[in-house]
Amino acid sequence: MAEEMSQANIHFIGIVHSVLKKREDCPRQGSEQAPGATIHIFDEYMEGIADLKEGDEIIILTWLHESDRSVLKCHPRNRKDIRLTGVFSTRSPDRPNPVGLHPVKVLTVSGNTIEVSGIEVIDGTPVIDIKPDRK
């Protein structure tokens, strides 16, 4: 069972196009003045966005592909004055499975392109999934 569980596959459904080009350019959270971005959905997944519309609040799940997957403890928000904390108690992008969780608002949908409000990821970040934000 443990071996089967370690063999999960993720299929990227799209990619983020952003003005943010380097990790150090990214705000810590989308709510901290992150710029809007374009989500390009790959052709084979276009039917999945058929009912998204302007104003929808969604959660974009991303694969933070430049993350350090060996990190188990970190200083929250990269502040060395805060004690080392277990990574699962933080929002650090560096973690064993670097899945990003980004609540955004849909600004427009056109074909296989979704314009979204502030998202704190770099250009080229793979998209894993999109879910409605049911607060």
Side-chain angles (χ1 to χ4, degrees):
M1 176 83 159
E3 186 175 319
E4 286 176 17
M5 290 174 55
S6 70
Q7 300 302 312
N9 292 315
I10 292 178
H11 301 277
F12 299 139
I13 64 164
I15 192 164
V16 177
H17 295 292
S18 172
V19 297
L20 301 171
K21 303 300 181 194
K22 300 179 291 194
R23 280 185 63 172
E24 53 270 16
D25 295 339
C26 296
R28 297 278 173 217
Q29 300 295 320
S31 61
E32 296 175 358
Q33 300 177 345
T38 301
I39 310 297
H40 173 81
I41 301 300
F42 300 143
D43 290 344
E44 60 268 34
Y45 300 106
M46 271 188 60
E47 286 184 46
I49 65 169
D51 296 304
L52 288 182
K53 62 188 179 313
E54 179 181 334
D56 284 349
E57 293 184 5
I58 59 175
I59 298 171
I60 306 286
L61 289 107
T62 60
W63 187 257
L64 303 173
H65 61 292
E66 290 191 6
S67 294
D68 180 346
R69 297 184 70 181
S70 67
V71 171
L72 294 178
K73 285 192 166 189
C74 65
H75 294 283
R77 300 184 68 79
N78 267 352
R79 289 187 40 195
K80 302 298 183 207
D81 61 316
I82 300 175
R83 71 174 178 77
L84 279 173
T85 303
V87 73
F88 302 130
S89 296
T90 75
R91 295 285 309 265
S92 172
D94 296 318
R95 54 197 322 112
N97 289 304
V99 175
L101 182 71
H102 316 278
V104 298
K105 183 175 273 190
V106 173
L107 303 176
T108 63
V109 179
S110 178
N112 60 347
T113 301
I114 308 165
E115 297 285 336
V116 299
S117 61
I119 186 169
E120 72 285 13
V121 297
I122 61 173
D123 187 57
T125 298
V127 176
I128 298 171
D129 206 350
I130 300 171
K131 296 183 178 282
D133 191 352
R134 305 264 195 248
K135 295 178 183 167

